[in-house]
Amino acid sequence: MAEVVVIGAGLSRTLMAYELLPQLGKDDRLSVISQGAVYHFVPSNPWVAVGWRKRNEIEIDLVDIMKRKGVRLLTQGAKRVHPIENRVELGDGTSINYDYLVVATGPELAFDEIPGLGPQGHTQSICHVDHASHAKDAFEKLAANPGPVVIGAVQGASCFGPAYEFLFILETELRRRKLRDQVPMTFVTSEPYVGHLGLDGVGDTKGLLESEMREKHVKWITNARVKSVEAGRMIVEELGEDGTVHKTHELPFAYSMMLPAFRGVEAVRGIDKLTNPRGFVMVDKHQRNPAFPNVFAVGVCVAIAPVGATPVSVGVPKTGFMIESMVTATALNIGALLRGREPSAQPIRHAGAMDARSIVAWTQASLTRS
């Protein structure tokens, strides 16, 4: 009997559990450790933030679903992974041992790295449904008292597609409410150019997104480093190609949504040979940690080196297609190990899921469905 454990609360966790089941023997057991029992579909958060979807329309309780599939769901959350002991310490002080562990936690949101950033500060977020619900309340205040808007992604961010998507969604909703002419919009990003996406572009992302933003009268600042955020004001340093401050902007805003940088979650961050200095899990071509070969990782928690040097820190996104590929390869590789074979499956790691055309197409499709 093998104990297979998955840690996580989002899309990669759920996909991982589903794809592992066919790989298990009849005496093997699969357990999922989650922070609570409710799953919400993160890609729909931008719709919640403007009222195109209600929170309960993008959430589902996993208790009965996991039970029907024969998966043990532990909702205490993971406090700390102890890879030398093959053990996960849970939030309530108990522990679970494992033969194989898959880390699918997603990231911790590093709002604290910039003074005033985030829902506890002065900007909104769409990274979690709680944040999106808060952003919806803030948006209604903007609608009642229009003013400048600042949207974007800060230094160290790695998830740029949702920032562009939310920019277009917000712009569309303002037009619907006949408020757009009262709301100047600025896009602020750590990318070296519009459409870089952490991937040095995908096709003609630069031209496509610049064209869309010009058409919609959106200004932008690239190579941007957000220094601090105060109530109604953001201080942004625009860097030159040599990394020196080229210009400092003081941007007033009545509403702002800025995606934060990510880091690894506390349960794994700082574990020698498991994670990098930022807390992301290091894996080989089979999604397997080199130091602890019975530990795998999938999704946003995986360490991937930047595509190239940029004046401002820019991370690499883990797109939906990439995550699905990681999940499939990991499931096949654990299945091979359970049968006494060596792992051979490798994921496809490229942009795949969110280029400029799909951002625009997704937004247009959103208009039709909303």
Side-chain angles (χ1 to χ4, degrees), residues 66-133:
M66 291 297 182
K67 185 177 180 180
R68 288 200 304 269
K69 290 184 173 293
V71 177
R72 180 170 61 157
L73 181 65
L74 304 172
T75 59
Q76 304 99 310
K79 183 177 181 180
R80 193 67 171 171
V81 173
H82 300 275
I84 295 176
E85 304 170 28
N86 296 324
R87 175 174 68 90
V88 180
E89 182 183 355
L90 303 180
D92 62 359
T94 62
S95 292
I96 179 173
N97 296 320
Y98 61 82
D99 295 296
Y100 296 99
L101 174 68
V102 183
V103 182
T105 58
E108 182 175 283
L109 308 174
F111 294 115
D112 59 295
E113 294 180 345
I114 299 174
L117 187 72
Q120 301 303 314
H122 306 291
T123 63
Q124 306 303 318
S125 163
I126 52 171
C127 296
H128 191 279
V129 69
D130 290 344
H131 301 164
S133 297

Side-chain angles (χ1 to χ4, degrees), residues 58-217:
I58 67 165
E59 289 185 330
I60 189 168
D61 193 304
L62 292 176
V63 172
D64 289 339
I65 293 172
M66 291 297 182
K67 185 177 180 180
R68 288 200 304 269
K69 290 184 173 293
V71 177
R72 180 170 61 157
L73 181 65
L74 304 172
T75 59
Q76 304 99 310
K79 183 177 181 180
R80 193 67 171 171
V81 173
H82 300 275
I84 295 176
E85 304 170 28
N86 296 324
R87 175 174 68 90
V88 180
E89 182 183 355
L90 303 180
D92 62 359
T94 62
S95 292
I96 179 173
N97 296 320
Y98 61 82
D99 295 296
Y100 296 99
L101 174 68
V102 183
V103 182
T105 58
E108 182 175 283
L109 308 174
F111 294 115
D112 59 295
E113 294 180 345
I114 299 174
L117 187 72
Q120 301 303 314
H122 306 291
T123 63
Q124 306 303 318
S125 163
I126 52 171
C127 296
H128 191 279
V129 69
D130 290 344
H131 301 164
S133 297
H134 188 274
K136 170 62 166 59
D137 295 337
F139 175 67
E140 293 302 333
K141 292 179 182 178
L142 171 70
N145 188 20
V149 163
V150 178
I151 306 295
V154 307
Q155 57 270 27
S158 58
C159 192
F160 297 96
Y164 288 102
E165 181 189 355
F166 187 67
L167 173 75
F168 295 138
I169 286 173
L170 191 70
E171 197 273 343
T172 298
E173 182 61 18
L174 287 168
R175 280 191 285 109
R176 286 182 171 184
R177 300 193 185 200
K178 303 186 186 306
L179 297 171
R180 180 65 182 89
D181 60 336
Q182 302 176 57
V183 181
M185 300 185 75
T186 304
F187 189 76
V188 173
T189 179
S190 54
E191 300 162 274
Y193 58 84
V194 166
H196 180 279
L197 300 175
L199 297 161
D200 200 11
V202 182
D204 186 28
T205 48
K206 184 177 187 293
L208 285 166
L209 285 170
E210 283 188 358
S211 177
E212 287 292 324
M213 291 165 74
R214 286 192 186 96
E215 182 181 328
K216 292 174 170 53
H217 306 287

Side-chain angles (χ1 to χ4, degrees), residues 4 6 15-24 30 102 330-331 334-335:
V4 183
V6 178
L15 292 172
M16 193 72 253
Y18 286 5
E19 292 209 28
L20 272 170
L21 285 171
Q23 302 296 326
L24 303 182
L30 175 60
V102 183
T330 299
I334 291 177

